[in-house]
Amino acid sequence: MDFCIHSRTVEIVMTTIKDFDCCRVVCNSPGAVHIIPDLLSVKTRELFLKNRAAELDREMGLIRTQEETGRHVRMLTHEIRSTLDRHTILKTTLIELGRTLALEECALWMPARNGLELQLSYTLRHQNPVGCTVPIHLPVISQVFSSHHAMKISPNSPVARPRPLSKKFMPGEVVAVRVPLLHLSNFQKNDWPELSTKYALMVLMLPSDSARQWHVHELELVEVVADQVAVALSHAAILEESMRARDQLMEQNVALDLARREAETAVHARNDFLAVMNHEMRTPMHAIIALSSLLQETELTREQRLMVEAILKSSNLLATLINDVLDLSRLEDGSFELDLGTFNLLMVFKEVVNLIKPIASFKKLMVSLTLAPDLPQYVVGDEKLLMQIILNVVSNAVKFSKEGSISIIACIAKPESLRDVGGLDFFPVPSANHFYLRVKDSGQGISPADIPNLFNKFAQNHALGGKHSGGEGLGLAISKRFINLMEGNIWIESEGLAKGCTAIFIVKLRIADNLSYSEHRLLPTAQANHCQANFLGLKVLVMDDNGISRMVTRGILIHMGCDVTVASSGKECLQIVSQEHKVVFIDVSTPGMNGYEVAIRIHEKFASLYKRPLLVALTGSSDKVTRENCLRVAVDGVLLKPFSLDKMKSVLSELLEKRVPREANP
């Protein structure tokens, strides 16, 4: 079929026909005018719904993105916090970020030791050598450190440093974020120290030659991960410090335990040494004092008697020093304990005066004793310790006084007078049935500057003692320790040399009640009784393993008129002892069968109490263990070496006096 171009007339005719048709349709449809607005409204509504659907799609996409970001954050946080090792945390962070964000490289720059550089410490792909550094004051680093958000930086930045790319590849976008170092004690690669720089730098690079860009949710993910890494690092650092402190504490505990064991071993060794030396020193001292006292009983010239008295005086001083050293040793290792009991307080002062008067008379010194009328007669305390304290203080006054008098005043310390005594280290605590005993002793004056030295061990005060005083030894030093044990204090008051000096001490004692008084019984002591008994023909058995000590004791008893038998061992003693023996002296430190076991065997051998001989323990120690053992085996008396003739007479007299009523009522 052939087509040709219509004429202009035909086109006009056709157009006119169409216009007439339109007019006819319009004329035939009068309601079309009302339909058109509705159609326009529907079209507008359809466009609005499409826009709304697009917005909802975008919101759903954002929600899905946030959920995905949250899932990645939780996953990364779990991986990061699955360990508390700081190096593992950092390596895990780079690996998980690289996997989640499909990174080409991820690097962590830590502050260097000098605080002036950042050091590349960890990388994901190892594109750059670990250990390289960049100045910390670069503008790009300062910009990142000053912002809380992740920032895009130039791929050519020194901290990005991608590997060389060919010209046809374009580097990917690079983001950097700071990592707060919240707690970094000793935190640096290869023993990181405390750092002045408070941030590390994390750099993340997208793959090269890709159109991919960083999205907002990815940047938020990086920021959250950086904060989580900071928290994990702080926890790890705290844990490491705790573990390090625990290890140090364990090492210290091990060292302390070792030191404690060594100290205990040293204390035991020292105590064993002192026990042996105590026994070994007292044996010759016993011989010197006992034989000198026997020598005094013979006819001597005046010059000889003076020499014997000098020997006795020096021997007694040496024996006192031995006792002080042993007591001080027990004080220092904490093994010294008070031996509390009921005793006659007034008799203690009278005995002290009786002991001091002969020495004071020799130096032409007057000794006076003043006891307050309100002093109780019987008190509870350590009688031996109190007597030793009074003797030390008064003897010190006698020793350093050349003329004049020595006055001793004892009274109950009034509550108001306790407030201003003794300095800051004394805090009196009054309680029911207790009182503070105040003793004043006046002697020669002393310079106030020398007073503090009086209580030092082995101190020598030249201004006070001079050349011939013999030193101060341990008297006042050990007395102060004893007084502290008795909840008291001691101090010296002096106006100056040759102007008088007053030594004052206070000790706490308890008033004896009726029960304590009824149970009180006086043990045999050197000062208990000085009456003279008739010892002629008294059968006595002496058991001592030391030949010299045995000979000395035998000599004293023979001088007293006793019929003496000796034994060198416990076994020999048990074979010899019989009803004819009235007294058996037993050295408790005899090797093999010791004196305590011998005493028990003698008790078993003599069933009847009045047929058994009196048992006297000979010992060089007066500690608590010795006293408890003597009470356990029920000996009748204790004689402490070294002893003199007078002491032997005193102890033996009292024992025999107690034996008389026992035999009268079997």
Side-chain angles (χ1 to χ4, degrees), residues 37-107:
D38 293 336
L39 291 175
L40 294 175
S41 176
V42 170
K43 203 67 176 178
T44 304
R45 183 65 177 174
E46 179 182 359
L47 182 61
F48 172 77
L49 291 176
K50 286 181 179 180
N51 292 336
R52 184 58 179 169
E55 291 179 3
L56 291 175
D57 288 340
R58 285 193 299 270
E59 290 178 1
M60 288 300 297
L62 181 60
I63 292 173
R64 284 194 295 270
T65 301
Q66 292 175 346
E67 290 180 351
E68 184 72 13
T69 302
R71 186 177 67 83
H72 286 308
V73 168
R74 288 192 297 273
M75 179 187 67
L76 289 171
T77 302
H78 174 74
E79 294 295 333
I80 291 171
R81 294 194 177 184
S82 62
T83 179
L84 285 177
D85 178 72
R86 292 177 293 186
H87 302 287
T88 305
I89 289 172
L90 298 176
K91 291 179 181 178
T92 302
T93 300
L94 301 187
I95 293 172
E96 294 301 325
L97 279 175
R99 180 185 305 158
T100 303
L101 300 177
L103 300 176
E104 178 178 319
E105 181 62 287
C106 186

Side-chain angles (χ1 to χ4, degrees), residues 269-419:
R270 184 188 65 178
N271 290 342
D272 293 341
F273 171 77
L274 289 175
V276 173
M277 292 303 297
N278 178 37
H279 178 71
E280 296 300 326
M281 286 189 296
R282 286 182 186 275
T283 299
M285 287 302 305
H286 173 49
I288 295 172
I289 292 177
L291 293 177
S292 298
S293 64
L294 285 177
L295 191 58
Q296 274 187 319
E297 300 294 318
T298 63
E299 294 184 4
L300 301 172
T301 64
R302 183 176 181 277
E303 185 178 358
Q304 289 173 335
R305 188 167 297 280
L306 289 176
M307 288 190 291
V308 172
E309 289 177 354
I311 292 173
L312 272 175
K313 180 180 178 181
S314 300
S315 301
N316 287 322
L317 288 175
L318 182 57
T320 301
L321 181 59
I322 293 173
N323 293 334
D324 288 347
V325 169
L326 295 175
D327 289 340
L328 185 62
S329 174
R330 293 201 299 271
L331 281 170
E332 290 179 346
D333 65 21
S335 62
F336 193 96
E337 296 181 1
L338 295 177
D339 183 19
L340 300 180
T342 303
F343 64 94
N344 191 325
L345 178 61
L346 306 183
M347 286 301 298
V348 168
F349 283 100
K350 292 178 181 179
E351 292 292 342
V352 169
V353 172
N354 290 334
L355 290 172
I356 290 297
K357 270 188 175 180
I359 304 175
S361 299
F362 180 78
K363 298 184 68 174
K364 298 180 180 181
L365 298 172
M366 294 294 295
V367 178
S368 63
L369 172 64
T370 304
L371 300 177
D374 59 346
L375 274 181
Q377 182 176 4
Y378 289 97
V379 298
V380 177
D382 193 322
E383 178 185 11
K384 178 185 173 184
L385 202 60
L386 180 60
M387 181 175 288
Q388 184 174 350
I389 292 170
I390 301 173
L391 274 174
N392 284 346
V393 174
V394 178
S395 297
N396 196 70
V398 172
K399 182 191 301 185
F400 298 118
S401 295
K402 298 179 181 179
E403 58 183 11
S405 62
I406 305 296
S407 62
I408 306 170
I409 303 173
C411 63
I412 295 179
K414 304 302 180 184
E416 58 271 12
S417 67
L418 295 175
R419 301 172 185 170

Side-chain angles (χ1 to χ4, degrees), residues 95-169:
I95 293 172
E96 294 301 325
L97 279 175
R99 180 185 305 158
T100 303
L101 300 177
L103 300 176
E104 178 178 319
E105 181 62 287
C106 186
L108 187 67
W109 297 79
M110 298 295 298
R113 183 180 296 271
N114 56 20
L116 301 177
E117 297 176 324
L118 288 182
Q119 184 179 30
L120 182 59
S121 302
Y122 299 94
T123 61
L124 178 61
R125 312 294 182 192
H126 303 289
Q127 294 182 1
N128 302 304
V130 174
C132 61
T133 60
V134 296
I136 201 169
H137 299 297
L138 289 176
V140 62
I141 296 175
S142 300
Q143 187 178 7
V144 175
F145 280 176
S146 62
S147 174
H148 296 281
H149 304 289
M151 299 179 59
K152 294 181 181 180
I153 63 175
S154 170
N156 297 321
S157 172
V159 293
R161 289 193 178 180
R163 59 184 175 183
L165 299 175
S166 59
K167 295 182 179 180
K168 62 179 181 179
F169 291 105

